[in-house]
Amino acid sequence: MGFSDVCNRQKNTNIRWRLPAVCFVWQLSMIVLFGVFVRYNEESDTHWVDYRKEKNITSDIENDFYFRYPSFQDVHVMIFVGFGFLMTFLKRYSFGAVGFNFLIAAFGIQWALLMQGWFHSLDYTDGKIKIGIENLINADFCVAGCLIAYGAVLGKVSPVQLLVMTLFGVTLFAVEEYIILNVLHAKDAGGSMVIHTFGAYYGLSISWVLYRPDLDKSKHLNGSVYHSDVFAMIGTLFLWMFWPSFNSAIADHGDGQHRAAINTYLALASTVLTTVAMSSLFEKTGKLDMVHIQNSTLAGGVAVGTAAEFMLSPYGSLIVGFFCGIISTMGYIYLSPFLEEKLKIQDTCGIHNLHAMPGVIGGIVGAITAAAATNTVYGDLGLENTFDFTGPFNKRVPTIQGGYQAAGLCVALCFGIGGGIFVGLVLKLPIWGDPADENCFDDEIYWETCIKATELNMHSEQ
Amino acid sequence: MGFSDVCNRQKNTNIRWRLPAVCFVWQLSMIVLFGVFVRYNEESDTHWVDYRKEKNITSDIENDFYFRYPSFQDVHVMIFVGFGFLMTFLKRYSFGAVGFNFLIAAFGIQWALLMQGWFHSLDYTDGKIKIGIENLINADFCVAGCLIAYGAVLGKVSPVQLLVMTLFGVTLFAVEEYIILNVLHAKDAGGSMVIHTFGAYYGLSISWVLYRPDLDKSKHLNGSVYHSDVFAMIGTLFLWMFWPSFNSAIADHGDGQHRAAINTYLALASTVLTTVAMSSLFEKTGKLDMVHIQNSTLAGGVAVGTAAEFMLSPYGSLIVGFFCGIISTMGYIYLSPFLEEKLKIQDTCGIHNLHAMPGVIGGIVGAITAAAATNTVYGDLGLENTFDFTGPFNKRVPTIQGGYQAAGLCVALCFGIGGGIFVGLVLKLPIWGDPADENCFDDEIYWETCIKATELNMHSEQ
Amino acid sequence: MGFSDVCNRQKNTNIRWRLPAVCFVWQLSMIVLFGVFVRYNEESDTHWVDYRKEKNITSDIENDFYFRYPSFQDVHVMIFVGFGFLMTFLKRYSFGAVGFNFLIAAFGIQWALLMQGWFHSLDYTDGKIKIGIENLINADFCVAGCLIAYGAVLGKVSPVQLLVMTLFGVTLFAVEEYIILNVLHAKDAGGSMVIHTFGAYYGLSISWVLYRPDLDKSKHLNGSVYHSDVFAMIGTLFLWMFWPSFNSAIADHGDGQHRAAINTYLALASTVLTTVAMSSLFEKTGKLDMVHIQNSTLAGGVAVGTAAEFMLSPYGSLIVGFFCGIISTMGYIYLSPFLEEKLKIQDTCGIHNLHAMPGVIGGIVGAITAAAATNTVYGDLGLENTFDFTGPFNKRVPTIQGGYQAAGLCVALCFGIGGGIFVGLVLKLPIWGDPADENCFDDEIYWETCIKATELNMHSEQ
């Protein structure tokens, strides 16, 4: 019970001024910045009726809204219910899981509209960001990176820290995304690199900097109870079911979206079987572990992200899913304990197994598939359309594209690790109201709850 | 323990004949009325193939079904899962919350198809109501008003009373909607006035007439347990996520739906931050209160309803959300206790804070935005399209439109309050099988449950 | 405590080799078969851009993806969340309900793509199955039959048995579907016959063969607790809400999908009221039973499946829903105990009441509606389009069609019962790791759980 322990106990988790201040100031900033910069684009503005006539667009149904809105809503569900409920598995951190996920996503999407807007949707004629449905989807995507990172630090940080993490995370995301998609002209429809690799290494690096040697003090709360595992399955299933929409949401109109949905559907189906197989194989009596079913079943969706809109072919998708289910489950069994003990990375939700490894695999699969693309398989027009070999990139060929895809993966890794270490150091400052080691994984710290002693005892496992 | 208490204890909550009788008779009436009045419209009838040829419609995708079906399904989820689960927060009234919500919504949508059909979809050539996807959405909308009202009386009424409340509520709704949208020609895409203001004041007035001075007798059940709060978050999130679909579902094809979705997305994001800020600011130790997170985060969606399809502009939406988060949370902290103690309005779910105040704000925002509309901002065609300044209304200008919008708000208020008082008096008749004061908020009264004494003790907080 | 009891206790439920082996071998087989047979179709292949030009298709929005993707995602939710959560009502089998449902559906959709592909989507020019969004929907549909069957044996079989059941179930499904839809040219958009009748009798026959006379030993687990009933309502509601998408997902473009959605919406609304009425009427004190609300409210969706795309007319849909609510609830009250005691059919979820009877009714309603179709009601073109009286069937008239519809129902029944008995005998082999009678309905057998004795006691009802 030395000095560090005394410090720890004195930790002030009263965020009464800090949290409201951050929320108000940041939201006011958003209003000012939106006022200066953000306007409707030509498809969401009342001038659409004029634009339609002018451009000879035959029907309102050609508005991008109808191509993407169903996918957008599915993605939206993944962000708020999917990620939120996936993290409710802890017996006493369901409020924090779903509530803080809600908070940081709601902030993040606004900041993402601005950051991504400056890079991608700035109208140079009037200096305004013009937004439409695709921007909303991209904002949701951008936030997904930060929510993945939240999975690594779940239960160990304050909501103020989460907001800071989101502010920096979205900023870093927008820059790496610009480099990968625009400068390198890599393709990444489902974000294996841009979203998952970046987000996971961002979170793992933060968790590494914030390492808590005495986290064992709250280990009685670092586990699930029966019903919290069922709640988590709501998150798992909505992520799993809507992942085809995630990977196809911003793919090319027509065959691009169509193919991305099919590839993702197949990869995910395959992952479920190998996850179940591995989970059963590595338990002494062949029983299944809910942690694997909740998480590793999703790895195929992550790994097929980059290549989803390519001609990966149906069996290719199955193969990707097959290996990711194996690798991800093995990660939970062998790698997570190793990361925690040897590398000092405490990863509450195991995002290394669900997002980091499958994300990197996805980047590699994307690079290989791109490099192997041929005119025979894609057709001349199809090849040009799928990889956007137009404008300044009209000389690029598939093999070169493969190289740029691989370069994109490296950029995502660098931004994730570098950015995470930097933000981790910022979050180490003793001003953010994070919980003491013995109060981790406990909603009592940040939420009004009416938990009876009896109820708590019943649910704990000491 | 006087006379009223004795009466109270003798309350007969056996609804074995009353509930089946109402269900059967009303459902049979629906069948007869649908048989006489309701037919498919030209887009859902097999004659569509002829109609297409005749009207030179180039593709099946121009069928209104494809413009609105995704939004319809989202609205459907809000009605049944959103409203239903939002009310599951009570520790022992989750069956009633989700089950009675299911019952009255299922009845209400049928009755709404008829009532709204007579006003809006009557084909005068053959005296039939012709229905298509837009009618289904409007029926869901209409029922939303009654489900909002249910929030005020949750746990204190019998299912028979709820059905009566829905019968009258839908009827009143159809009339006020006709007056507001057709006679006054006000616009209200997301129903801030027509749905939320009307529904909330309807419910609050009923609750006022049904005031129970001795409701304290069941106060041990008027609260949440840990997992019931997590269930309620399912409702919150599905409402929050799909609200862009709600506000855009019946907006104009093309830019109208597109813009309504964007405005709602932004307003809701903004509301989350100010709700969290206020919740934390007003608790002694800065902790968050689940009641606020579950409810006030939705206020922005309500308030942006009327103006969602206008050129509110992105920052305008953020501003609306900003203030509604503050006002709604303050309502839970200060106004709800005041309403209960001074005005004798017992509002179980706090619909005054979630629907009434934001609804009125939405009506005012709509009036101001309409009055401020200019040809420069909207374009000539855009202005005409957005406000439907055509036919008998082709002389109307924005400033005048603003006045009619404000008039529409007053109509909604009058119908809500007046109708609520009338229906409250009907529901006061001692024939409906409502629970005694000590049995409020208890599923045992109307549901077969197998709750063990031990389990109940554990969950109660005496 | 005779010999059979000793045998029973010695049952080996260690599936450590069997489950992984089946998962790996079958998934590898899928990869090989997909490699040999499955390719993208013309709408999901990069050659779509060429195809569009060639066929003079004016817009990408005419890609079948945009007609069917929103419905597909809704169906996907029904399969994984709907069926999965509907079965979570048992107090200690929620992991098995939602987890094994996930496993068998993920396997089944792959096998279904192959089986249905060979029958329906084989391109004879190159011997490949060409898949697009409609194939994904049909695969989900096919799996629905097996998930219905799972409802009958819930809690009494091992995951290996479930996989075997799915393998055979999908195979049988593909054959009976081919006979019904292609050979008999019957119509069955929502699958009352093909999915529900077949699936239900398949499951009931299996359960009959696997009859357990001593199932009473685990009857303390064969029931619900408060929160497990709320979880089950998630399943109920997502099934109920998205059923219009289920019945319209593969209906004809345009009016076909539109009408199917309307009919289903109405039938389901009607069912809710009669279910509530019957549930209340048959309990001594008029209380409602969650089992009925969770299940019988869905019967209308089943029964309107075949006729959903016909001109059933709105009141016709209400009538179908009306009777199905009554019949299904009566089934739970009277027929299920009879089936168990007299016919030795143990039907955990009561699929006889939710799928079998309404499915048969749906087939009959379809036959009658088809037989009664007239040119006046449908229009000449409409009649031809709705019933596909083209090609080899261009001489068929409605009355004859009605006969073929009825024949289709018989085929579904025969395949369900015959196939079920055969598969039941296969599953009786003592090699599949199924639980002993006293371990039925218990997640402990196949899942790592950390249930404390105290918690278990609290939830059980001995």
Side-chain angles (χ1 to χ4, degrees):
Chain A
M1 308 290 161
F3 176 69
S4 99
D5 195 64
V6 172
C7 282
N8 219 342
R9 267 208 222 115
Q10 289 170 343
K11 278 209 170 185
N12 178 8
T13 58
N14 184 335
I15 47 172
R16 189 172 176 190
W17 300 107
R18 285 172 281 190
L19 181 59
V22 168
C23 287
F24 276 129
V25 171
W26 292 11
Q27 187 56 55
L28 283 169
S29 313
M30 287 303 115
I31 291 175
V32 172
L33 289 168
F34 270 65
V36 176
F37 286 106
V38 183
R39 298 292 178 272
Y40 303 116
N41 75 9
E42 64 209 1
E43 300 193 282
S44 58
D45 188 288
T46 42
H47 289 86
W48 161 254
V49 276
D50 305 309
Y51 183 79
R52 248 194 74 180
K53 288 197 174 170
E54 194 186 306
K55 296 277 178 183
N56 225 353
I57 295 167
T58 52
S59 165
D60 278 329
I61 198 96
E62 305 243 14
N63 192 303
D64 197 36
F65 183 78
Y66 301 102
F67 284 93
R68 306 207 183 275
Y69 192 70
S71 313
F72 158 67
Q73 274 295 6
D74 294 349
V75 171
H76 217 42
V77 172
M78 293 174 73
I79 298 298
F80 291 89
V81 161
F83 281 106
F85 271 86
L86 185 61
M87 299 190 288
T88 57
F89 70 101
L90 289 174
K91 69 185 75 164
R92 281 290 142 185
Y93 211 71
S94 301
F95 291 5
V98 84
F100 296 153
N101 183 81
F102 193 15
L103 171 64
I104 62 177
F107 166 70
I109 53 179
Q110 298 177 57
W111 181 227
L113 281 172
L114 284 165
M115 281 303 304
Q116 294 182 313
W118 283 316
F119 281 115
H120 297 285
S121 307
L122 201 59
D123 180 340
Y124 289 100
T125 60
D126 60 2
K128 305 294 186 195
I129 297 165
K130 301 288 172 68
I131 63 171
I133 188 70
E134 196 170 337
N135 299 71
L136 305 193
I137 297 170
N138 276 313
D140 274 21
F141 276 5
C142 181
V143 156
C146 298
L147 301 182
I148 290 165
Y150 180 23
V153 297
L154 181 73
K156 300 175 294 181
V157 292
S158 75
V160 183
Q161 284 177 307
L162 287 172
L163 282 165
V164 172
M165 207 172 113
T166 305
L167 179 76
F168 284 108
V170 167
T171 312
L172 289 161
F173 183 102
V175 177
E176 61 111 31
E177 184 192 39
Y178 178 75
I179 296 173
I180 294 172
L181 301 189
N182 295 52
V183 178
L184 301 177
H185 195 70
K187 303 288 289 179
D188 197 11
S192 299
M193 306 182 286
V194 171
I195 300 168
H196 297 284
T197 303
F198 165 76
Y201 285 102
Y202 180 62
L204 291 166
S205 304
I206 290 173
S207 192
W208 177 69
V209 177
L210 298 181
Y211 181 68
R212 288 168 178 265
D214 295 326
L215 193 58
D216 266 4
K217 288 179 182 167
S218 54
K219 81 166 174 220
H220 62 290
L221 289 174
N222 191 2
S224 65
V225 287
Y226 195 71
H227 279 165
S228 71
D229 268 328
V230 182
F231 277 119
M233 281 304 290
I234 297 174
T236 300
L237 288 175
F238 275 102
L239 287 170
W240 195 92
M241 296 180 304
F242 287 163
W243 215 296
S245 296
F246 192 93
N247 285 349
S248 69
I250 56 162
D252 285 344
H253 287 178
D255 64 296
Q257 289 193 276
H258 203 151
R259 192 165 54 252
I262 293 173
N263 286 334
T264 311
Y265 176 93
L266 291 171
L268 284 163
S270 180
T271 307
V272 174
L273 272 92
T274 52
T275 299
V276 167
M278 295 305 283
S279 184
S280 177
L281 199 58
F282 282 82
E283 298 281 337
K284 249 181 293 179
T285 55
K287 293 186 185 186
L288 299 172
D289 188 330
M290 258 293 168
V291 171
H292 307 152
I293 307 302
Q294 281 159 10
N295 292 282
S296 297
T297 49
L298 300 167
V302 174
V304 87
T306 302
E309 60 176 338
F310 301 162
M311 292 291 281
L312 182 58
S313 82
Y315 71 92
S317 307
L318 291 182
I319 292 171
V320 171
F322 186 91
F323 287 108
C324 284
I326 296 174
I327 291 165
S328 178
T329 314
M330 295 287 280
Y332 277 98
I333 297 169
Y334 292 117
L335 212 53
S336 286
F338 173 82
L339 287 181
E340 176 147 3
E341 278 160 43
K342 305 296 175 193
L343 300 189
K344 309 295 180 202
I345 298 174
Q346 291 157 330
D347 178 6
T348 313
C349 297
I351 62 165
H352 188 264
N353 313 307
L354 170 48
H355 298 281
M357 290 190 298
V360 171
I361 292 171
I364 295 167
V365 168
I368 295 170
T369 321
T374 62
N375 285 47
T376 327
V377 171
Y378 284 76
D380 295 336
L381 252 174
L383 192 67
E384 192 188 307
N385 273 16
T386 305
F387 293 100
D388 283 327
F389 290 156
T390 52
F393 303 100
N394 66 356
K395 292 275 173 54
R396 201 177 271 189
V397 294
T399 45
I400 304 294
Q401 178 69 22
Y404 280 103
Q405 295 285 140
L409 181 58
C410 298
V411 172
L413 276 165
C414 293
F415 267 80
I417 295 170
I421 291 171
F422 167 73
V423 174
L425 291 170
V426 172
L427 296 181
K428 239 180 140 65
L429 297 175
I431 57 172
W432 307 115
D434 51 316
D437 290 343
E438 57 267 47
N439 294 330
C440 284
F441 314 117
D442 192 350
D443 273 335
E444 286 264 34
I445 306 303
Y446 301 118
W447 297 86
E448 289 289 320
T449 56
C450 43
I451 306 167
K452 299 269 298 181
T454 55
E455 197 183 354
L456 195 62
N457 285 342
M458 188 202 69
H459 282 111
S460 68
E461 279 149 26
Q462 277 173 309
Chain B
M1 304 287 163
F3 175 69
S4 100
D5 196 65
V6 173
C7 283
N8 218 343
R9 267 209 221 115
Q10 290 169 343
K11 278 208 170 184
N12 178 9
T13 58
N14 184 334
I15 47 173
R16 189 172 177 191
W17 299 107
R18 284 172 280 191
L19 182 59
V22 169
C23 287
F24 275 129
V25 171
W26 292 13
Q27 186 58 54
L28 283 169
S29 312
M30 288 302 116
I31 291 175
V32 172
L33 290 168
F34 270 66
V36 176
F37 285 108
V38 183
R39 298 293 178 270
Y40 304 116
N41 74 9
E42 63 209 2
E43 301 192 282
S44 58
D45 189 287
T46 43
H47 289 86
W48 161 254
V49 277
D50 306 308
Y51 183 78
R52 248 195 72 180
K53 287 197 174 171
E54 193 187 308
K55 297 277 178 184
N56 225 354
I57 295 168
T58 53
S59 166
D60 278 330
I61 197 96
E62 305 243 13
N63 192 303
D64 196 36
F65 182 78
Y66 301 102
F67 285 93
R68 306 208 183 275
Y69 191 71
S71 313
F72 159 66
Q73 275 293 7
D74 294 348
V75 171
H76 218 42
V77 172
M78 293 173 74
I79 298 298
F80 290 89
V81 160
F83 281 106
F85 272 86
L86 185 63
M87 299 191 288
T88 57
F89 71 101
L90 289 174
K91 69 184 75 162
R92 280 290 141 183
Y93 211 71
S94 300
F95 291 4
V98 84
F100 296 153
N101 182 81
F102 193 14
L103 170 64
I104 61 177
F107 165 69
I109 53 179
Q110 298 178 58
W111 180 227
L113 281 172
L114 285 165
M115 282 302 304
Q116 295 182 313
W118 283 314
F119 281 116
H120 297 286
S121 307
L122 202 60
D123 182 340
Y124 290 100
T125 61
D126 60 1
K128 303 294 183 196
I129 296 165
K130 301 289 172 68
I131 64 169
I133 189 70
E134 196 170 337
N135 297 72
L136 305 192
I137 297 171
N138 275 314
D140 274 21
F141 277 5
C142 180
V143 155
C146 298
L147 301 181
I148 290 165
Y150 180 24
V153 297
L154 181 73
K156 300 175 294 183
V157 293
S158 76
V160 183
Q161 283 177 309
L162 286 172
L163 282 166
V164 173
M165 207 172 111
T166 304
L167 178 76
F168 284 109
V170 167
T171 312
L172 289 160
F173 183 101
V175 177
E176 60 113 31
E177 184 191 40
Y178 178 74
I179 295 172
I180 294 172
L181 301 189
N182 295 52
V183 178
L184 299 178
H185 196 69
K187 303 288 288 180
D188 197 11
S192 299
M193 305 183 286
V194 170
I195 301 168
H196 297 284
T197 303
F198 165 76
Y201 284 102
Y202 180 62
L204 291 167
S205 304
I206 291 172
S207 192
W208 178 69
V209 176
L210 298 180
Y211 181 67
R212 289 169 178 265
D214 296 324
L215 192 59
D216 266 5
K217 287 178 183 169
S218 54
K219 81 166 175 219
H220 63 290
L221 288 174
N222 190 1
S224 64
V225 287
Y226 194 71
H227 279 165
S228 71
D229 268 328
V230 182
F231 277 119
M233 281 304 290
I234 296 174
T236 300
L237 288 175
F238 275 102
L239 287 170
W240 194 92
M241 295 180 304
F242 287 164
W243 215 294
S245 296
F246 192 93
N247 286 348
S248 69
I250 56 161
D252 284 346
H253 288 177
D255 64 296
Q257 289 192 279
H258 203 152
R259 192 166 53 253
I262 294 173
N263 286 334
T264 312
Y265 176 94
L266 291 171
L268 284 163
S270 178
T271 307
V272 174
L273 272 94
T274 51
T275 298
V276 167
M278 295 305 284
S279 184
S280 176
L281 198 60
F282 282 80
E283 298 280 338
K284 250 181 291 178
T285 56
K287 293 185 184 183
L288 298 173
D289 188 330
M290 258 291 169
V291 171
H292 307 152
I293 307 303
Q294 282 160 9
N295 293 282
S296 297
T297 51
L298 300 167
V302 174
V304 87
T306 302
E309 61 176 338
F310 300 162
M311 291 291 281
L312 182 58
S313 83
Y315 71 92
S317 306
L318 291 182
I319 292 172
V320 171
F322 186 90
F323 286 108
C324 284
I326 296 174
I327 290 164
S328 179
T329 314
M330 295 288 281
Y332 277 98
I333 297 170
Y334 292 117
L335 212 53
S336 287
F338 173 82
L339 287 180
E340 176 148 3
E341 278 160 43
K342 304 296 174 192
L343 300 189
K344 310 295 181 202
I345 298 174
Q346 291 157 331
D347 177 6
T348 312
C349 296
I351 62 165
H352 189 264
N353 314 306
L354 170 47
H355 297 281
M357 289 190 298
V360 170
I361 292 171
I364 295 169
V365 168
I368 294 172
T369 321
T374 62
N375 284 47
T376 328
V377 171
Y378 283 75
D380 293 337
L381 253 173
L383 192 68
E384 192 188 306
N385 274 16
T386 305
F387 293 100
D388 283 327
F389 290 157
T390 52
F393 304 100
N394 67 354
K395 293 273 171 55
R396 200 177 273 189
V397 294
T399 45
I400 303 295
Q401 178 69 21
Y404 280 103
Q405 294 285 140
L409 181 59
C410 297
V411 172
L413 276 165
C414 292
F415 268 79
I417 295 170
I421 290 172
F422 168 72
V423 174
L425 290 171
V426 173
L427 297 180
K428 237 182 143 63
L429 298 174
I431 56 173
W432 307 114
D434 50 316
D437 291 341
E438 57 267 46
N439 294 330
C440 284
F441 315 118
D442 192 351
D443 272 335
E444 288 264 31
I445 305 304
Y446 301 117
W447 297 87
E448 290 289 319
T449 57
C450 44
I451 306 166
K452 300 267 297 180
T454 54
E455 197 182 352
L456 195 62
N457 285 341
M458 188 202 71
H459 281 112
S460 68
E461 278 150 26
Q462 278 174 308
Chain C
M1 304 286 164
F3 174 71
S4 98
D5 196 63
V6 172
C7 282
N8 218 343
R9 268 207 221 116
Q10 289 169 343
K11 279 210 170 184
N12 178 8
T13 59
N14 184 336
I15 48 173
R16 190 173 176 190
W17 299 108
R18 286 172 279 190
L19 182 58
V22 168
C23 287
F24 276 129
V25 172
W26 291 12
Q27 187 57 54
L28 283 169
S29 314
M30 289 301 116
I31 291 174
V32 172
L33 289 169
F34 270 66
V36 176
F37 285 108
V38 183
R39 298 293 178 272
Y40 304 116
N41 75 8
E42 63 209 2
E43 301 193 281
S44 58
D45 189 287
T46 43
H47 289 86
W48 160 255
V49 277
D50 306 309
Y51 183 79
R52 247 195 75 181
K53 286 197 174 169
E54 193 188 307
K55 296 277 177 184
N56 224 354
I57 294 167
T58 51
S59 166
D60 277 330
I61 198 96
E62 305 243 12
N63 192 303
D64 196 36
F65 182 78
Y66 301 103
F67 285 92
R68 305 207 183 276
Y69 191 70
S71 313
F72 159 66
Q73 275 295 5
D74 294 348
V75 171
H76 218 40
V77 172
M78 293 173 74
I79 298 298
F80 291 89
V81 160
F83 282 106
F85 272 86
L86 185 62
M87 298 190 289
T88 57
F89 71 101
L90 290 174
K91 69 185 74 162
R92 281 291 141 184
Y93 211 72
S94 301
F95 290 6
V98 84
F100 295 153
N101 182 81
F102 193 16
L103 170 64
I104 62 177
F107 166 70
I109 53 180
Q110 298 177 58
W111 181 228
L113 281 171
L114 285 164
M115 282 301 305
Q116 295 182 312
W118 284 314
F119 281 116
H120 297 285
S121 308
L122 201 60
D123 181 339
Y124 289 100
T125 61
D126 61 2
K128 304 295 184 195
I129 295 165
K130 302 288 173 67
I131 63 170
I133 189 69
E134 197 170 337
N135 298 72
L136 305 193
I137 297 170
N138 275 314
D140 273 22
F141 276 4
C142 181
V143 155
C146 297
L147 302 182
I148 290 165
Y150 181 23
V153 297
L154 181 74
K156 300 175 294 183
V157 293
S158 77
V160 184
Q161 283 177 307
L162 286 172
L163 282 165
V164 172
M165 206 172 113
T166 305
L167 179 76
F168 285 108
V170 167
T171 312
L172 289 161
F173 183 102
V175 177
E176 59 113 30
E177 184 192 40
Y178 179 75
I179 296 173
I180 294 172
L181 302 190
N182 295 52
V183 178
L184 299 178
H185 195 70
K187 303 288 288 180
D188 197 10
S192 298
M193 305 182 286
V194 170
I195 301 168
H196 297 285
T197 303
F198 165 76
Y201 284 102
Y202 180 62
L204 291 166
S205 303
I206 291 173
S207 193
W208 177 69
V209 176
L210 298 180
Y211 181 67
R212 289 168 178 265
D214 295 324
L215 193 58
D216 266 4
K217 287 179 183 168
S218 54
K219 81 166 175 218
H220 63 290
L221 289 174
N222 190 1
S224 65
V225 287
Y226 194 71
H227 279 165
S228 71
D229 268 329
V230 181
F231 277 119
M233 282 303 291
I234 296 174
T236 300
L237 288 176
F238 275 102
L239 287 170
W240 194 93
M241 295 179 305
F242 287 164
W243 216 294
S245 295
F246 192 93
N247 285 349
S248 69
I250 56 161
D252 285 345
H253 287 178
D255 64 298
Q257 289 193 278
H258 202 151
R259 193 165 52 253
I262 293 173
N263 285 335
T264 312
Y265 175 94
L266 290 171
L268 284 163
S270 180
T271 308
V272 175
L273 272 93
T274 51
T275 299
V276 168
M278 295 305 283
S279 185
S280 176
L281 199 60
F282 282 81
E283 298 282 337
K284 248 181 292 178
T285 56
K287 293 185 185 185
L288 299 172
D289 188 331
M290 258 292 170
V291 171
H292 307 152
I293 307 303
Q294 282 160 10
N295 293 283
S296 297
T297 50
L298 300 167
V302 174
V304 87
T306 302
E309 60 176 340
F310 300 163
M311 292 289 282
L312 182 58
S313 82
Y315 70 92
S317 307
L318 291 182
I319 292 171
V320 171
F322 186 91
F323 286 108
C324 283
I326 296 174
I327 291 165
S328 179
T329 313
M330 295 286 281
Y332 278 98
I333 297 169
Y334 291 116
L335 212 52
S336 286
F338 174 82
L339 287 180
E340 178 147 2
E341 279 160 42
K342 304 297 175 193
L343 301 188
K344 310 293 180 202
I345 298 175
Q346 291 156 330
D347 178 5
T348 313
C349 297
I351 61 165
H352 188 265
N353 313 307
L354 170 48
H355 298 282
M357 289 191 297
V360 171
I361 292 171
I364 296 168
V365 169
I368 294 171
T369 321
T374 62
N375 285 47
T376 328
V377 172
Y378 283 76
D380 294 338
L381 252 174
L383 192 67
E384 192 188 308
N385 275 15
T386 304
F387 293 100
D388 284 326
F389 289 157
T390 52
F393 304 100
N394 67 356
K395 291 274 172 55
R396 199 177 271 189
V397 294
T399 45
I400 302 294
Q401 178 67 22
Y404 280 102
Q405 294 285 139
L409 181 59
C410 298
V411 173
L413 276 165
C414 293
F415 267 79
I417 294 169
I421 290 171
F422 167 72
V423 175
L425 291 170
V426 172
L427 296 181
K428 238 180 141 66
L429 298 174
I431 57 172
W432 306 115
D434 51 316
D437 291 342
E438 56 268 46
N439 295 330
C440 285
F441 315 118
D442 192 351
D443 273 334
E444 287 265 30
I445 306 304
Y446 301 117
W447 297 87
E448 289 290 318
T449 56
C450 44
I451 306 168
K452 299 269 297 180
T454 54
E455 197 182 352
L456 196 62
N457 285 341
M458 187 202 71
H459 283 111
S460 68
E461 279 149 26
Q462 279 174 306

